[in-house]
Amino acid sequence: MILSWNITKRCNLYCDHCYRDSDHNCAENELTTVEGIRLIEEISHTGRFKILILSGGEPLMRDDLEVFAAHAKSLGLIPVLGTNGTLMTKERAQSLKEAGIAAAGISLDSNDPKQHNAFRNTEGAYEKALEGIANCIEAGIRVQINTTVTTDNVDELEALIDESQHLGAGALHPFFLVEAGRGSCITNKALSDEAYLKTLGKILNKQKNVSIELKPTCAPQFMSLAKRMDVPMRYTRGCIAGIGYCCILPDGEVHVCPYLPIVAGHAKEMSFDKIWTDSDVFKQLRDENNYKGKCGDCADHSICGGCRARAYYRTGDFLEEDPMSSYCYQPKE
């Protein structure tokens, strides 16, 4: 099970798609170091979570990042990073490795520096990200490339997979654009329904021929397609929001996932382990009978689940059917 904690909303970049609408000056109401340590202990107390993603914003903008990583590791959690990579110097990579960071997800959206830099609204972001990747690998930190898929880069996705493997990354996770944060301003760059399914098929076919791990994100239908295409997957379910995953915001608010602004509780008001166990929102997501439309009547529901964020933004109800469900729907017998 995985938990993503956005430890800050601050970021040194200003990316077009940012789900957290981060910028340089978003430091209000962050959990303090002491509050963060207590939160990590409460996460550990659930006895359920294995991986703790320390993300943002840009997590490297917090000086106590290593403190959080070391404390998580001491409690048996596996701390990993979600970062744009541009601040990952050799010294910081070594410091994070010593603190216990096992892996880092680093964003790379194009093999074309100009396109990546334009998407990230920062000159030199591409070059710095490549340096960050190299510095992590040199320090012994496993690297996962995170690529936000849009109409601008979908045609080079397979080339990006090859380049990621060449760089020494262990995985590439294509993130399909969701209408959260600033992502709502570039919905014209989201793939059409037809292109979305076609792209999932290409990714799964590519997986047959590369050693690097490929995992479509915010695209739970990949599990149903993988079953039909006989592509082995180590995952058990596409969307695990509220079931095997949730997100904590910088101020301690607990959300179903980073892209879905449904509040399950607040870590400053109630211990996280109690929120995870008792939240009505999480209870709804864990009961298969609550899902509506094709998602509730699909034989592949247990391995897919439908994207709860996409359902919410398209219908206003996070338990409604994912609009993409029609393409993979398998009626129950």
Side-chain angles (χ1 to χ4, degrees):
M1 290 175 52
I2 304 171
L3 188 145
S4 177
W5 174 24
N6 301 147
I7 64 174
T8 184
K9 193 177 175 182
R10 286 176 289 159
C11 188
N12 60 315
L13 306 185
Y14 193 83
C15 305
D16 285 350
H17 67 301
C18 182
Y19 63 82
R20 199 55 69 216
D21 195 18
S22 297
D23 62 33
H24 293 74
N25 302 308
C26 298
E28 306 87 12
N29 301 318
E30 290 178 356
L31 296 181
T32 65
T33 304
V34 172
E35 290 171 330
I37 288 173
R38 184 175 66 244
L39 173 62
I40 292 170
E41 291 171 351
E42 293 171 356
I43 293 168
S44 175
H45 289 163
T46 66
R48 304 292 300 279
F49 291 94
K50 179 180 180 181
I51 297 174
L52 175 61
I53 304 172
L54 300 169
S55 184
E58 176 46 58
L60 272 73
M61 295 188 75
R62 282 198 65 151
D63 295 334
D64 51 5
L65 174 57
E66 281 86 345
V67 174
F68 295 145
H71 196 60
K73 184 178 180 181
S74 74
L75 295 173
L77 297 169
I78 301 173
V80 301
L81 283 181
T83 172
N84 61 49
T86 62
L87 302 177
M88 187 66 77
T89 62
K90 289 178 181 289
E91 294 76 16
R92 195 73 191 275
Q94 187 60 43
S95 173
L96 289 164
K97 175 63 176 179
E98 292 171 0
I101 290 295
I106 297 180
S107 301
L108 200 63
D109 301 299
S110 176
N111 285 326
D112 178 355
K114 289 183 179 180
Q115 184 169 316
H116 177 90
N117 293 343
F119 193 56
R120 302 280 163 176
N121 286 297
T122 305
E123 285 297 319
Y126 176 83
E127 294 78 6
K128 288 291 185 182
L130 290 186
E131 287 180 24
I133 291 167
N135 291 338
C136 281
I137 292 173
E138 183 180 337
I141 297 173
R142 181 179 185 270
V143 169
Q144 168 186 305
I145 302 297
N146 293 334
T147 299
T148 299
V149 181
T150 68
T151 54
D152 288 339
N153 67 358
V154 65
D155 290 336
E156 64 168 315
L157 186 55
E158 291 174 276
L160 262 168
I161 293 169
D162 292 336
E163 177 63 15
S164 297
Q165 187 164 258
H166 174 73
L167 290 170
L172 183 144
H173 288 196
F175 281 68
F176 286 77
L177 188 66
V178 179
E179 303 167 30
R182 290 197 291 272
S184 64
C185 300
I186 58 168
T187 53
N188 61 310
K189 293 188 177 184
L191 301 189
S192 67
D193 293 0
E194 181 180 357
Y196 168 82
L197 269 296
K198 182 179 179 181
T199 302
L200 285 184
K202 284 185 176 181
I203 293 168
L204 292 172
N205 273 320
K206 186 73 171 177
Q207 183 67 89
K208 298 176 181 178
N209 301 306
V210 295
S211 58
I212 190 172
E213 175 194 86
L214 307 178
K215 190 229 177 233
T217 303
C218 302
Q221 288 80 15
F222 85 91
M223 287 293 291
S224 181
L225 287 175
K227 184 179 75 172
R228 291 184 221 174
M229 295 170 64
D230 197 27
V231 180
M233 286 284 160
R234 68 179 181 87
Y235 304 96
T236 57
R237 184 181 171 95
C239 180
I240 57 174
I243 299 168
Y245 175 80
C246 73
C247 175
I248 302 176
L249 273 60
D251 65 355
E253 198 166 79
V254 180
H255 283 196
V256 171
C257 88
Y259 306 96
L260 180 57
I262 300 296
V263 181
H266 203 298
K268 284 187 176 181
E269 299 171 359
M270 181 184 295
S271 66
F272 174 78
D273 45 333
K274 188 170 180 59
I275 293 171
W276 179 252
T277 302
D278 297 343
S279 167
D280 287 339
V281 172
F282 290 150
K283 287 180 178 179
Q284 289 180 70
L285 288 163
R286 293 165 191 165
D287 186 345
E288 189 171 321
N289 295 320
N290 289 326
Y291 290 80
K292 303 174 184 178
K294 290 185 173 66
C295 284
D297 188 45
C298 183
D300 282 348
H301 176 82
S302 63
I303 63 169
C304 173
C307 178
R308 296 302 98 215
R310 187 178 295 114
Y312 174 80
Y313 288 113
R314 298 280 185 94
T315 72
D317 184 348
F318 69 96
L319 291 170
E320 259 295 352
E321 70 177 50
D322 178 346
M324 298 296 185
S325 62
S326 297
Y327 296 90
C328 296
Y329 174 61
Q330 297 288 309
K332 295 177 180 177
E333 294 181 358

